[in-house]
Amino acid sequence: MAGTNNLILRTATSLISFLLLGFGVYAFFAGHNSPGGGFIGGLMTSGAILLLYMSYGMKTVNQMLPINFKTMIPVGLLTAVLTSAGSFLFDVPFLSHTFGYFYLPIFGEVELATAMLFDLGVYLTVVGVVMTIILTITDDQ
Amino acid sequence: MNNMIVLPMAIPVLAGILFIFFRNNIYLQRWISLFVMVANIGIVAYLLNRVQTEGVLRLDFGGWEPPFGILFVADSFSLILVMTTSIVAAICLLYSFSSIGKARENMFFYSFVNFLVAGVNGSFLTGDLFNLYVCFEIMLLASYVLIALGGKKAQLRESIKYVIINVLSSWFFLVAIAFLYGSVGTLNMAHISERISESGQTPLLTVISIVFLTVFALKAGLLLYFWLPGSYSVAPTAVAALFGGLLTKVGIYAMFRVFTLFFYHEPSITHTFIGVLAALTLIGGSIGAVAYKDIRLIVTYNVVIAVGFILVGLAVATPEAMEGSIYYLIHDMIVKSLLFLLAGTMITVTGTTKIDEMSGLIRNYPLMGWMFFIVMLSLAGIPPLSGFIGKVLVGEGAVNAGSYILLALAFLSSIFVLYSLLRVFLQCFWGETIISTEDEVPVKKGWMIPCAILTIATIGIGLGAESLYLYVSDAANTLLNPQIYIDAVLYE
């Protein structure tokens, strides 16, 4: 986009993409009790990153976010598989999940479930897959 | 706790994921994937023996009781198939070590083989209809990649056909599941079976069963095999052997499950339909096998014939025929991969796929020639080898049920198999030697050892049919008495 002045796009992006990122993370955490979850949270997060790529270009964003999205896929898958395989350690059926109530400083009493770790795997995989697909197509001359 | 049942699917998945991290460490990938398959053989052997003493095993994921949660069910039929899958996959991996090439190995080849095996094992083990769909998709997605990996022109053309046909059939599968869920209100296989037997198989359910038949016929290549010869002949040898050994067999397995567990109340409609399709498949496959001079096409049409033959056993549905089909299924998985490996090796050493351009290979490659001879006899069903017992039992079942047309077609197709392969043998191995000693492409040990192991396996299955009988008869018994399966899943 050399030569074009897209000040409005860039200024709006820096605001909107942070809103989007925040909403993606919110949707991810809200998944247990209201609509949301790993898949939609991951999609919204990749939407936010994609918006950054569109307005700032590949080079800038690659410096800003030095993340290899390709390794994010196996990391996410591994998280999901290992949370389910943890059942082997505790001698319960495969894919069993558990939860507990914890007292955290600011939030007060919260319910933490291992299902969220599985969801984290989904989240990472979705972000990794979406970004890999889009960046691979963009790279292709 | 039966957590072990999930391992044949979980270990390959885990290995496939880990390989992405060790992308450049090919040696590690090779030996770990081989180790995974061998470990699976051990696990399944243990489970198979447990099933004989304790009956059908199940694993409720997350501890949710059967009609509500998803589960894996291990009965003799599925475990036998998982075992054969692991053996075939191990051998194909061994072959691919020295044939697949560095470019493919660096592009996650071993990951996708592991995912493919995970999908196949999951399809065999699952006890939930939608889960079956998901495992089918895991297998198919991995197979899409394996068919296209390498990016040659022919591969791209055939993979587009393959993907389109499979996307379409997966959509039909989903629709069929939706219809069935709308009618019986459950997705658990045992529960579906119970609901159907309670309400009786209404005409609507019979229609749904035909939709399922269409889906699995597309996957297995039962009459709807038009996509099969093209797709299976473009993949590299080791991949083609995996496909020929495993993929259509998953469709066959699903058909056996669905038509022995759910829709067994109206055999005069559904099983007659399967019988007609099997007969047409046998005819079409036989014509294809003798019509071509391209060795890859001859081999793929032999896959089609075997699909027809195995489903004759399902159409007839007597105990002997079921046992025969299971024997033949084991035999066919092993021998078809061997056939694909040998055909691929022949193409590699001669550099041509046309059988009339090859001649006198027996002088250059005697071991390969005699192994091809054994495969040919085994596929035709000559007594000491593995194809014999399955053919005899299916034939016996067909006689007992009075299906003489199917009987005649099944045995005539054996003659066509024998003729098509004998033609290859005579044309390629006998005659004037065209490759001089200097121009010989050296056969690597890594090509011949896997073939030799499979040849020994086909002889072993033929001679040791008696010791397998315990497992096969238990598998057939569970298939013919759905109540055993239902009791194990819902009432234990």
Side-chain angles (χ1 to χ4, degrees), chain B residues 166-181:
Chain B
N166 276 304
V167 168
L168 188 74
S169 66
S170 295
W171 179 77
F172 269 115
F173 196 179
L174 265 187
V175 170
I177 291 175
F179 279 147
L180 192 61
Y181 188 58

Side-chain angles (χ1 to χ4, degrees), chain B residues 294-355:
Chain B
D294 184 325
I295 186 167
R296 296 174 306 183
L297 289 174
I298 297 174
V299 169
T300 46
Y301 276 103
N302 271 298
V303 174
V304 174
I305 297 177
V307 172
F309 193 89
I310 294 167
L311 286 160
V312 167
L314 177 63
V316 172
T318 60
E320 297 84 29
M322 279 295 176
E323 283 165 14
S325 286
I326 296 166
Y327 266 123
Y328 203 78
L329 203 52
I330 306 171
H331 146 80
D332 196 60
M333 284 167 91
I334 287 184
V335 171
K336 277 294 140 52
S337 357
L338 176 53
L339 188 60
F340 271 95
L341 290 182
L342 286 175
T345 315
M346 284 164 68
I347 294 168
T348 319
V349 296
T350 55
T352 174
T353 61
K354 299 270 175 295
I355 57 170

Side-chain angles (χ1 to χ4, degrees), chain B residues 376-387:
Chain B
M376 181 182 82
L377 296 185
S378 181
L379 272 168
I382 307 293
L385 300 162
S386 60

Side-chain angles (χ1 to χ4, degrees), chain B residues 93-421:
Chain B
L93 277 170
L94 211 55
Y95 187 91
S96 63
F97 290 169
S98 54
S99 70
I100 204 75
K102 194 142 182 56
R104 285 201 177 84
E105 284 183 323
N106 274 330
M107 287 312 285
F108 310 111
F109 174 76
Y110 295 112
S111 287
F112 284 108
V113 172
N114 274 286
F115 290 143
L116 181 84
V117 171
V120 172
N121 286 348
S123 310
F124 288 149
L125 286 172
T126 184
D128 180 281
L129 201 54
F130 195 78
N131 219 322
L132 178 68
Y133 169 82
V134 174
C135 290
F136 254 103
E137 285 305 301
I138 296 175
M139 171 189 94
L140 287 173
L141 282 173
S143 73
Y144 299 156
V145 177
L146 286 175
I147 229 175
L149 200 62
K152 295 211 183 65
K153 201 173 168 186
Q155 282 184 315
L156 292 181
R157 187 185 63 231
E158 294 302 331
S159 63
I160 288 174
K161 286 185 205 164
Y162 180 72
V163 171
I164 289 176
I165 200 73
N166 276 304
V167 168
L168 188 74
S169 66
S170 295
W171 179 77
F172 269 115
F173 196 179
L174 265 187
V175 170
I177 291 175
F179 279 147
L180 192 61
Y181 188 58
S183 321
V184 297
T186 176
L187 285 171
N188 182 294
M189 290 191 189
H191 204 206
I192 292 174
S193 172
E194 205 182 42
R195 287 260 167 100
I196 290 178
S197 61
E198 276 167 6
S199 67
Q201 192 174 325
T202 55
L204 179 66
L205 286 170
T206 308
V207 171
I208 295 171
S209 77
I210 300 298
V211 181
F212 273 107
L213 183 63
T214 317
V215 172
F216 297 136
L218 268 170
K219 308 266 187 200
L222 177 68
L223 188 64
L224 308 173
Y225 57 75
F226 42 87
W227 55 271
L228 194 145
S231 336
Y232 280 21
S233 54
V234 291
T237 309
V239 175
L242 262 183
F243 284 14
L246 305 182
L247 293 195
T248 53
K249 308 308 182 278
V250 183
I252 295 174
Y253 164 82
M255 227 180 285
F256 268 84
R257 228 356 135 218
V258 165
F259 285 96
T260 57
L261 191 59
F262 308 165
F263 306 115
Y264 57 91
H265 305 279
E266 293 280 356
S268 58
I269 301 173
T270 50
H271 288 60
T272 312
F273 217 80
I274 297 174
V276 171
L277 290 179
L280 292 172
T281 313
L282 284 169
I283 296 171
S286 302
I287 293 174
V290 296
Y292 289 98
K293 287 191 168 166
D294 184 325
I295 186 167
R296 296 174 306 183
L297 289 174
I298 297 174
V299 169
T300 46
Y301 276 103
N302 271 298
V303 174
V304 174
I305 297 177
V307 172
F309 193 89
I310 294 167
L311 286 160
V312 167
L314 177 63
V316 172
T318 60
E320 297 84 29
M322 279 295 176
E323 283 165 14
S325 286
I326 296 166
Y327 266 123
Y328 203 78
L329 203 52
I330 306 171
H331 146 80
D332 196 60
M333 284 167 91
I334 287 184
V335 171
K336 277 294 140 52
S337 357
L338 176 53
L339 188 60
F340 271 95
L341 290 182
L342 286 175
T345 315
M346 284 164 68
I347 294 168
T348 319
V349 296
T350 55
T352 174
T353 61
K354 299 270 175 295
I355 57 170
D356 38 11
E357 290 169 16
M358 303 179 196
S359 175
L361 290 177
I362 195 93
R363 184 157 302 210
N364 308 91
Y365 310 104
L367 181 62
M368 197 160 84
W370 293 117
M371 284 199 292
F372 193 89
F373 188 69
I374 292 175
V375 176
M376 181 182 82
L377 296 185
S378 181
L379 272 168
I382 307 293
L385 300 162
S386 60
F388 172 67
I389 184 79
K391 291 208 173 179
V392 167
L393 286 170
V394 169
E396 194 188 334
V399 171
N400 288 347
S403 323
Y404 295 110
I405 298 176
L406 279 180
L407 177 76
L409 282 172
F411 284 127
L412 276 177
S413 79
S414 302
I415 297 186
F416 277 95
V417 167
L418 185 63
Y419 172 70
S420 69
L421 294 176

Side-chain angles (χ1 to χ4, degrees), chain A residues 70-71 73-75 77-78 81-82 87-88 91-97, chain B residues 1 3-4 6-7 10 13-14 17-18 20-21 59-63 70:
Chain A
K70 277 183 194 134
T71 40
I73 306 171
V75 169
L77 288 173
L78 205 59
V81 173
L82 289 184
S87 54
F88 279 92
D91 201 30
V92 286
F94 190 76
L95 271 172
S96 290
H97 286 284
Chain B
M1 199 61 52
N3 260 341
M4 225 172 180
V6 82
L7 287 180
V13 166
L14 196 62
I17 295 169
L18 287 177
I20 306 177
F21 293 110
L59 165 65
D60 309 332
F61 287 164
I70 54 173

